[in-house]
Amino acid sequence: WRWFMDSDFWSCKHTWRRSATNTKWCLIGCAIGDFGTIAYFQFSAASASTLVIFLWATLNGIITSILLETYLLVSQKMQLSQAFKIAVGMSLISMVAMEIAMNLTDYLITGGAVFVWWVVPIALFFGFITPWPYNYWRLKKLGKACH
């Protein structure tokens, strides 16, 4: 645990930049599924409780993030099965934390699962900063990244 308190461990600008890029791609994937699901329930005749909408939004956000990250890895000449395993294995904790942060932000601001344009940047901000230190740690300590 010494590394956790070591300021040198947390001061690598290169790792922060690379982990920010990884977090950005994860956020794009999560946001597509998450916001798309919330918008679907808001603008269609479908109805469900806020909790159910957030659970579907989280699941769909994770699925779209895995699909996007798999696509990015395949586009870098990686085999599909390996790309999928990496996208699932490397990012699941990050994606769950990101989804919880985005949905909690939405709930705290709007009082429900409501797609409001001015809330989107705020939810994206908290969705980004929540898993970013974990992604940095994973890259710095374990040398593992999504792409």
Side-chain angles (χ1 to χ4, degrees):
W1 282 93
R2 289 183 195 178
W3 59 266
F4 187 77
M5 299 303 289
D6 183 7
S7 62
D8 288 339
F9 179 85
W10 295 102
S11 62
C12 180
K13 292 178 183 178
H14 171 74
T15 305
W16 278 114
R17 277 192 298 275
R18 182 156 178 223
S19 63
T21 299
N22 294 344
T23 304
K24 173 193 70 176
W25 285 111
C26 185
L27 182 67
I28 291 168
C30 282
I32 291 167
D34 188 287
F35 294 145
T37 300
I38 293 170
Y40 169 78
F41 278 99
Q42 184 173 334
F43 301 123
S44 74
S47 66
S49 70
T50 299
L51 179 60
V52 169
I53 294 170
F54 279 145
L55 289 173
W56 276 111
T58 298
L59 178 63
N60 289 335
I62 290 169
I63 290 169
T64 54
S65 185
I66 289 169
L67 290 173
L68 177 61
E69 292 182 39
T70 300
Y71 170 77
L72 291 171
L73 291 168
V74 168
S75 71
Q76 295 172 13
K77 308 297 185 229
M78 188 178 287
Q79 293 292 324
L80 178 61
S81 61
Q82 183 184 10
F84 180 75
K85 286 178 188 174
I86 289 173
V88 170
M90 301 294 182
S91 325
L92 200 53
I93 292 171
S94 178
M95 289 182 280
V96 170
M98 184 176 288
E99 285 293 332
I100 290 170
M102 290 192 315
N103 289 327
L104 184 59
T105 301
D106 186 22
Y107 181 78
L108 292 173
I109 294 173
T110 68
V114 183
F115 187 75
V116 179
W117 282 107
W118 65 268
V119 175
V120 169
I122 300 167
L124 290 173
F125 172 77
F126 285 105
F128 180 84
I129 65 165
T130 299
W132 189 19
Y134 169 78
N135 291 339
Y136 174 95
W137 169 81
R138 190 153 175 96
L139 183 60
K140 186 76 172 172
K141 180 80 171 154
L142 307 175
K144 295 181 178 180
C146 307
H147 23 68

